[in-house]
Amino acid sequence: RQNVTCLPCPAGTAVVNDPYVCKTCTGANMVVAANGDCVCGSGYIETGGSFIESEIFCVSSALYSSASYDLLLNDVDVEVSSAVQAHYYPWASVNCKYFRSVEDTKACQVLTNLCVMQHFHSDSDACADLESLQS
């Protein structure tokens, strides 16, 4: 009979069902939660699909943490907060940029509408993303 010493799982992985296998998440910046699900690591937010792990992206929350933007109204620069922007922008931005199927057309339409809501302000995230896609 041999003595076997198990090594700890590497960072970002965990033992879930099989005590001899370290589970790894396929997406970048994803880690295994205590319940075995793959979730975004600290400092990242989930966007993309909601049912298939490979369709989920983890994007830096620092990039999308601002739900406010500057808007020029009657020559006055006003900062506006928007729950709609905060909710839809990460999903629309990622899925439009990494266009994989006709279904992602919706993401590009939402991104365009978010730009319209910002009066085509070129410094807004949504409009800047659309401009970068045209290049």
Side-chain angles (χ1 to χ4, degrees), residues 9 16-17 20 22 41-42 63 72 77 86 104-105 113 118 134:
C9 289
V16 178
N17 293 325
Y20 302 104
C22 295
S42 178
L63 294 175
L72 193 61
D77 195 19
D104 289 329
T105 302
N113 286 330
Q118 297 174 33
Q134 293 175 349

Side-chain angles (χ1 to χ4, degrees), residues 18-76:
D18 185 341
Y20 302 104
V21 177
C22 295
K23 179 177 178 178
T24 304
C25 296
T26 57
N29 305 311
M30 294 186 99
V31 296
V32 181
N35 66 359
D37 291 344
C38 289
V39 297
C40 295
S42 178
Y44 294 88
I45 57 172
E46 182 180 304
T47 188
S50 55
F51 299 107
I52 304 170
E53 180 183 315
S54 63
E55 296 293 318
I56 296 171
F57 296 95
C58 294
V59 294
S60 172
S61 56
L63 294 175
Y64 304 111
S65 61
S66 174
S68 64
Y69 56 94
D70 290 330
L71 181 61
L72 193 61
L73 297 171
N74 298 327
D75 296 327
V76 177

Side-chain angles (χ1 to χ4, degrees), residues 81-134:
S81 294
S82 170
V84 171
Q85 293 282 340
H87 180 77
Y88 287 108
Y89 174 71
W91 169 82
S93 176
V94 170
N95 286 290
C96 187
K97 181 177 180 181
Y98 298 105
F99 196 90
R100 293 174 310 277
S101 71
V102 174
E103 286 297 313
D104 289 329
T105 302
K106 294 174 189 172
C108 294
Q109 291 169 340
V110 169
L111 190 62
T112 302
N113 286 330
L114 294 174
C115 179
V116 169
M117 287 173 57
Q118 297 174 33
H119 296 251
F120 301 99
H121 196 285
S122 61
D123 290 336
S124 72
D125 291 335
C127 295
D129 285 356
L130 288 171
E131 287 178 18
S132 73
L133 291 172
Q134 293 175 349

